[in-house]
Amino acid sequence: MTLAAVTCGYVRAVRGAVLDVAFDNAILPVIDEALHVGDGLIAEVQSHLDATTVRAIALQGTSGLSRGTPVHATGGPLTAPVGDAVLGRLLDVSGKVHDHGPALPAGTPRLPIHRAPPPLATQTAATTVFETGVKVIDLLVPLAFGGKAAMFGGAGVGKTVLLMELIHAMVARYQGISVFAGIGERSREGHELWSDMQGSGVLGRTALVFGQMNEPPGARWRVGLTALTIAEHFRDAKHQNVLLLMDNVFRFVQAGAEVSGLLGRLPSRVGYQPTLATEVAGLQERIASVAGAAITAIEAVYVPADDFTDPAVTAISSHLDSNIVLSRSMAAEGMYPAIDPLASNSILLDPLVVGTEHFILAGRVRQAMAHYRELADVIALLGVEELGAADRLMVARSRKLQRFLTQPFTVTEAFTGMAGRSVMLADTLAGCRAILDGDADDWPESALYMLGDFDEARQRAKAA
């Protein structure tokens, strides 16, 4: 049997992004194998229908594709370009350049996007705190160097803005490589990120991989794996630390659900694909650190209808070290970043990691916030004057704490007119301790709203 007979087939049926491909008298390609259809369309095998036919999902648009179009099996999964050549470039799921620059060099190495995670015995634990300069995160939800963190929130509560601020704050001081995965991104968001990175001078250490909203579900489903493959190469071959940024992981799940429906699989809970847990694990478990190099992941996750019990949200959160929950009620009050101090959590908020002083202070802050939240209904009905003296004092300090943990962002300067602030952890701890100890009891709440450290608040209070 000739090689052509083994690898050549033809399109038998086209149903949107789903292709049925016949390989008469040939060995069928395996699941996840890449197929080249016609003049450049790429598809991925998803199932075997019978002894001669496979069902594949197209990673590009199928408009104009006809039955009988020749198909060539590649003998392996889709590959992505890796190495220094992709730094400063904007790529799609297949590694094609989309930044109007020259093509990648001919000798650029490529690796398959489907790979196993590092063996558990070679992985290292994440125990070093990654300081961000965002007060509420560093205090209550410390991020792990070499760990996985995600921001959860519904539409319009500030996930992308917070992610962009973390990119701005961390990439500039971060000496490793950055890889950004835009999963189902709007074109505007991608263009803004590209422009910001050009302006800040960090584009030369960053690779950007996009599968945008207007692309087929197959592209949005696999673009995260393409970005992860690039990150793994820098970790494993170059032994460099990598900052992996993903926006939005929910759209990865959503694309998987679309693909599952197109393939005719019966839906599972709330209409999601029956393979939800497997697909999320296949992405998240590859984000790991090994001796000498780490991948630190920061992800944005859309929460449909603000339902934090949604199967996609719970499947993603189970793999994370730090869960940053954004609150719609706090956003409505103008408390930005709208991070819920009680719902958010991190495994690094441990006295053995952050120190006893930080741990105790974070507990005092949470206790004050929880007490204020318990009294919120009473205050709404009767007014704060009906509370006892101790409760009134605690409510006043909690409201000041809440305002002190707000912060103007660098990425929003053009819209708010306020210069962004980055605050050292020591200054954040000192400010929270001072408020809880009563140093700001006589100050107006406005003196603590949208600023940097406690000294800035003191100057504002004196001027008031």
Side-chain angles (χ1 to χ4, degrees):
M1 188 178 291
T2 65
L3 183 62
V6 173
T7 58
C8 290
Y10 61 91
V11 175
R12 178 171 283 175
V14 182
R15 301 180 191 87
V18 175
L19 310 177
D20 288 352
V21 182
F23 290 86
D24 296 338
N25 304 317
I27 298 172
L28 288 185
V30 299
I31 305 299
D32 289 337
E33 185 170 334
L35 306 176
H36 287 167
V37 184
D39 294 329
L41 175 67
I42 298 174
E44 191 177 84
V45 176
Q46 292 302 312
S47 63
H48 291 176
L49 298 182
D50 54 43
T52 62
T53 311
V54 301
R55 181 159 287 171
I57 194 80
L59 304 186
Q60 288 126 352
T62 57
S63 177
L65 187 65
S66 61
R67 287 183 292 178
T69 301
V71 177
H72 297 273
T74 60
L78 179 69
T79 61
V82 296
D84 294 338
V86 303
L87 296 179
R89 309 307 301 270
L90 193 152
L91 312 171
D92 66 9
V93 65
S94 64
K96 187 183 294 185
V97 176
H98 285 269
D99 54 17
H100 304 296
L104 296 176
T108 302
R110 300 182 72 96
L111 292 176
I113 67 168
H114 295 284
R115 308 172 71 196
L120 192 60
T122 67
Q123 296 184 23
T124 57
T127 56
T128 305
V129 174
F130 205 146
E131 199 169 316
T132 66
V134 179
K135 288 182 286 189
V136 65
I137 292 178
D138 291 341
L139 174 67
L140 299 175
V141 205
L143 306 187
F145 180 81
K148 296 187 280 280
M151 290 156 287
F152 295 88
V157 295
K159 295 183 304 300
T160 299
V161 171
L162 181 54
L163 182 68
M164 294 283 284
E165 181 68 15
L166 289 177
I167 291 172
H168 187 276
M170 297 168 74
V171 171
R173 73 175 83 169
Y174 187 71
Q175 295 306 308
I177 300 298
S178 303
V179 180
F180 181 87
I183 306 172
E185 282 282 88
R186 300 172 183 88
S187 298
R188 170 187 59 79
E189 292 171 340
H191 185 266
E192 286 177 0
L193 179 66
W194 175 259
S195 300
D196 288 345
M197 287 196 164
Q198 277 186 315
S200 59
V202 299
L203 189 60
R205 293 187 283 113
T206 306
L208 297 99
V209 189
F210 280 89
Q212 296 187 141
M213 275 185 172
N214 61 339
E215 294 188 53
R220 289 180 271 123
W221 192 35
R222 293 309 192 202
V223 69
L225 299 183
T226 299
L228 190 49
T229 302
I230 294 171
E232 286 173 330
H233 174 77
F234 284 109
R235 179 195 66 193
D236 298 335
K238 303 276 190 176
H239 305 292
Q240 291 178 284
N241 294 322
V242 183
L243 181 62
L244 177 64
L245 306 143
M246 305 178 80
D247 186 9
N248 187 302
V249 181
F250 175 79
R251 297 195 187 115
F252 161 76
V253 173
Q254 201 173 36
E258 290 180 51
V259 168
S260 183
L262 289 169
L263 294 172
R265 295 176 185 148
L266 289 174
S268 182
R269 294 171 55 204
V270 200
Y272 285 110
Q273 61 271 42
T275 54
L276 170 63
T278 305
E279 290 174 9
V280 171
L283 178 72
Q284 298 288 351
E285 291 303 308
R286 286 172 58 183
I287 303 171
S289 302
V290 297
I295 295 180
T296 304
I298 299 177
E299 309 167 10
V301 182
Y302 168 70
V303 179
D306 291 341
D307 179 12
F308 287 89
T309 64
D310 186 87
V313 175
T314 55
I316 294 167
S317 63
S318 64
H319 293 274
L320 303 172
D321 302 313
S322 304
N323 293 278
I324 301 169
V325 177
L326 292 147
S327 163
R328 187 169 299 282
S329 61
M330 290 184 65
E333 294 174 20
M335 300 298 161
Y336 289 107
I339 296 172
D340 189 325
L342 302 182
S344 304
N345 60 80
S346 170
I347 63 169
L348 269 73
L349 193 59
D350 184 289
L352 296 175
V353 178
V354 298
T356 305
E357 181 186 3
H358 182 167
F359 178 75
I360 292 173
L361 185 61
R364 290 179 65 194
V365 169
R366 278 218 171 100
Q367 187 177 14
M369 297 285 193
H371 191 60
Y372 173 47
R373 196 166 290 184
E374 288 171 3
L375 296 172
D377 289 341
V378 176
I379 295 169
L381 287 171
L382 304 176
V384 72
E385 295 79 11
E386 297 300 316
L387 298 176
D391 283 342
R392 279 203 307 273
L393 183 62
M394 182 58 73
V395 166
R397 289 178 180 176
S398 299
R399 287 176 62 86
K400 288 184 171 74
L401 266 178
Q402 192 178 53
R403 279 147 184 78
F404 177 67
L405 292 177
T406 61
Q407 189 169 338
F409 282 170
T410 303
V411 296
T412 59
E413 282 182 16
F415 309 103
T416 64
M418 291 186 286
R421 303 286 197 281
S422 179
V423 183
M424 299 294 290
L425 175 61
D427 295 333
T428 300
L429 297 177
C432 291
R433 188 184 303 106
I435 293 169
L436 288 169
D437 290 345
D439 292 2
D441 285 353
D442 298 330
W443 300 358
E445 291 179 357
S446 58
L448 294 143
Y449 179 66
M450 280 291 173
L451 44 66
D453 57 22
F454 195 71
D455 288 338
E456 188 178 345
R458 182 180 285 110
Q459 293 170 9
R460 193 184 286 184
K462 287 180 181 178

